[in-house]
Amino acid sequence: MMESGVSFCNSCGEQVGVDGNGEVFVACHECYFPICKACVDYETSEGRSVCLRCGNPYADKTRGKDDTKVPANQSTTTAAQISTSQDVGLHARHISTVSTTTVDSELNDESGNPIWKNRVESWKEKDKKNKKKKEAPKAGNETPVPHEQQMDEMQPSSEAAAAEPLSVIIPVSKSKLGPYRTVIIMRLVILGLFFHYRVTHPVDSAFGLWLTSIICEIWFAFSWVLDQFPKWSPINRVAFTDRLSARFEREGEPCQLAPVDFFVSTVDPLKEPPLITANTVLSILAVDYPVEKVSCYVSDDGAAMLTFESLVETADFARKWVPFCKKFEIEPRAPEFYFSQKIDYLKDKVQPSFVKERRAMKREYEEYKVRVNALVAKAQKTPDEGWTMQDGTSWPGNNSRDHPGMIQVFLGHSGAHDIEGNELPRLVYVSREKRPGYQHHKKAGAENALVRVSAVLTNAPYILNLDCDHYVNNSKAVREAMCFLMDPVVGRDVCYVQFPQRFDGIDRSDRYANRNTVFFDVNMKGLDGIQGPVYVGTGCVFNRQALYGYSPPSMPPLPKSSSCCCFPSKKPAKDVSELYKDAKREELDAAIFNLREIENYDEYERSMLISQLSFEKTFGLSTVFIESTLMENGGVSESADPSMLIKEAIHVIGCGYEEKTAWGKEIGWIYGSVTEDILTGFKMQCRGWRSIYCMPLRPAFKGSAPINLSDRLHQVLRWALGSVEIFLSRHCPLWYGFAGGRLKLLQRLAYINTIVYPFTSLPLVAYCTLPAICLLTGKFIIPTLSNIASALFLGLFISIILTSVLELRWSGVTIEDLWRNEQFWVIGGVSAHLFAVFQGFLKMLAGVDTNFTVTAKAADDAEFGELYMIKWTTLLIPPTSLIIINLVGVVAGFSDALNGGYESWGPLIGKVFFAFWVIFHLYPFLKGLMGRQNRTPTIVILWSVLLASVFSLIWVKINPFVSKVDSSAISQTCISIDC
């Protein structure tokens, strides 16, 4: 990292410094990888004396001559300095480089008693003495091994494996990217010339229609710029899981792979079937990763006894399913989807026992399904007195809005083993406390509760969150993510690794663009070339330290005087509060830095010190949780009492735990929007973190998507409403996060696009109405075209087509996917996005929360029967109206042309072209309304007849758009005729 001509170490984030000759210190003379001398010494002492980037051995001259002889009076100071530099370099998050004196003065000021300063100093002195005692025997008994001899003793194979990168970037070839960028620039130039012509050639006879069309077209161009330019530098990545194993899973050595905590969220088991959630859990428990490194947390935000009982059955079935999966390496490891595959399951299976064991396992799974479905059938009707557990006591979650916190640990090292006696991953059921009068923040609050519970119980450094209907389709997906997160160079500044979403159960035509292929295969690849993809809510592996609100290691702390807004506040009080918050964050960083230096201290004194440093104001009133945040590599103390940890876990999921803390504001999932995923990722990248987009050949995770029209529109409505909420909040990308300049310009454009796209619905509705009005009035928004104007229109259409074609070329997306995406952009824009804009303003400005009810109809039992399910909702009204208006306009236009003669057909072509453009884009919507075998709901027929009758009467009888005939002019004309 280079900043103001100063080179910073890529290991610890400090300045590289100079060597004995006063020149900039260089560790590797092959690739000139910036790393400071202290980090080189540490790597050498650990037996890793090769460059982190190129793998070449460090030159002997990287060690200064002063290293061999140190004056006696300076030995302690030098050791302390090196230890400090090394400690900073090992941190997984940004640790402020505030001096010890500064921290001590802060302690003295806050406590009002210099005893805290003396305690910290005494701990450090004790720490230094112990280090000297440990180093003295080694110096007396062992002779130093020359550096050259150490290099010779290292095995070439292990050194090469350690030097090889765990992932590589494969940029899009210049032959594909060059023409793509050229066409984008050409299209931008043509747009400028096009708007110059449109503005300078108004249509006086239809000025209102012309002005409306100009405003709409300018907004469409602005929207295109926001969507297009973040795709300027798309890249692909390849991860090497074999190299990961060679580096961190060596034979005869303990496994060094980092632990991972899996989060699964569910609310209502009647809407989210327990069997689907159970398949997700089973696929996690059977993942291809060391079992002691995996923990699965299931959040039941509905406190349903059905969910708990189904997990009991799932834990029992996992004892048979997990060893079966790992023995035969089957994919996917969700039993429902594995057994439903229509493939030859005998292919590549050479074990003679496979067929027999597969049949036995399928029988076991069918029996397991019967037990779970029996639980579901029993739960359809809740008893008047509520549910009762097997011991006769009432289920604590009978009132889902008023119940205590509940935690149950299944499996794990202290629980049941599989049928072969092997250990299983830990499975934990969590239902956070809920009480009336508290704001629980829906899914974001549930995820934050899981962050705290997992920190207390297992504290893995990485977190993978999944929706309850997204199972692990690729058992090596976690290893793919670790190739980025555990890479010493790539993973330092990575806050999360995002996988694309893939779906089952969608028909081949993908009528409503449920797969979102254009977004996941085009837009996200483009963002990966800038600062990383946005967080999309599921299938994402987080760095836990990034969730705690810290900056990346290579980034200096934000200046205290800088605000998160690009516009300075007019109120001095607000500036003071911002400065106070920045000071508190830096104070917390400095406190963690000093506590990590100290190995020998009194536990009671440290807990008091934590309280004294106001950690609680950031993380909450839990010393156990706060101490877990100080462990950079995660883990729980071996001496910790499990019963005590469970009590503390219950405490951190209390409904009042987050009050007066930074949870939901700076820490964890961010509150303030139903699309908490976009907001959470945005806050991380504003701090300087980057993200990674991982697309393995076999999809990592697969889920289910709503494939019928009504459910799809309501899903899009929820996303659009979240974007409007962010737009109206303080976290709007238009002004938030300019301090420090850590969010790149193109990345900011991408985030702006994610929050302004619902507003495109307003000009889109107007533009889709214009063709019908032009046909009904006989007017048009474009004057008679000249040769130059015709060339501009032709160039614009060609550039649009070329942009799409070249995009398809480098992304691999099919033209059908692109067309479906274009169609649903119009369908969603004139329905869900339109309602989201009005609902968002009503909710954020007036406090009115509007809900749209959905009435479900029965679907056929055939394959994709849900596709033809009709659910009448108010979201269907605007698209239906637009279709009918344009159909009536087309009929009216052809009628006028027939009556007007040959000269009327020329202007009709342009008007009809735009009308059919609207109809073709809304065709999937029309087909969805018709359903199977034209069984259209009665309400749709009535609405269509009503609209058609109204507009026909307006056109035939009232004629409000046609200018009135001047009778005096007619009489004057008649007089002049010579009869």
Side-chain angles (χ1 to χ4, degrees), residues 8 99 292 306 344 365 373 382 521 613 658 673 704 771 788 944 947 967:
F8 289 90
S99 64
E292 69 276 7
L306 173 58
D344 183 10
Y365 178 64
N373 289 331
T382 306
D521 290 11
L613 285 170
E658 295 182 354
S673 171
S704 57
I788 297 178
S944 304
L947 284 178
S967 58

Side-chain angles (χ1 to χ4, degrees), residues 160-231:
E164 287 181 330
L166 299 179
S167 64
V168 295
I169 296 176
I170 303 179
V172 178
S173 64
K174 294 182 179 180
S175 61
K176 296 180 180 179
L177 200 56
Y180 177 65
R181 291 175 173 174
T182 303
V183 171
I184 291 176
I185 299 300
M186 288 175 54
R187 182 173 171 181
L188 198 61
V189 173
I190 293 173
L191 271 175
L193 297 175
F194 170 78
F195 283 122
H196 178 267
Y197 168 80
R198 292 282 283 128
V199 172
T200 57
H201 291 77
V203 181
D204 297 328
S205 60
F207 186 81
L209 298 178
W210 169 83
L211 182 61
T212 302
S213 65
I214 287 293
I215 295 174
C216 295
E217 289 163 1
I218 291 175
W219 179 266
F220 293 151
F222 171 71
S223 179
W224 172 77
V225 169
L226 292 180
D227 182 67
Q228 191 67 57
F229 277 88
K231 296 182 283 189

Side-chain angles (χ1 to χ4, degrees), residues 31 73 144 152 179 257 264 317 360 367 407 449 456 503 614 629 753 793 845 860 869 889 895 900 915 969:
C31 65
N73 59 348
D152 294 338
L257 289 175
V264 179
F317 178 70
E367 294 175 356
I407 296 177
V456 171
F503 302 98
S614 301
T629 65
N753 187 42
F793 273 90
L845 302 181
D860 294 340
M869 185 184 298
S895 300

Side-chain angles (χ1 to χ4, degrees), residues 569-585:
S569 175
K570 296 181 181 179
K571 299 180 180 179
K574 189 171 183 180
D575 289 338
V576 172
S577 66
E578 290 294 334
L579 288 173
Y580 177 76
K581 289 180 181 178
D582 291 338
K584 281 296 178 185
R585 299 300 300 169

Side-chain angles (χ1 to χ4, degrees), residues 137 173 232 332 749 757:
S173 64
W232 185 259
L749 288 181
Y757 77 89

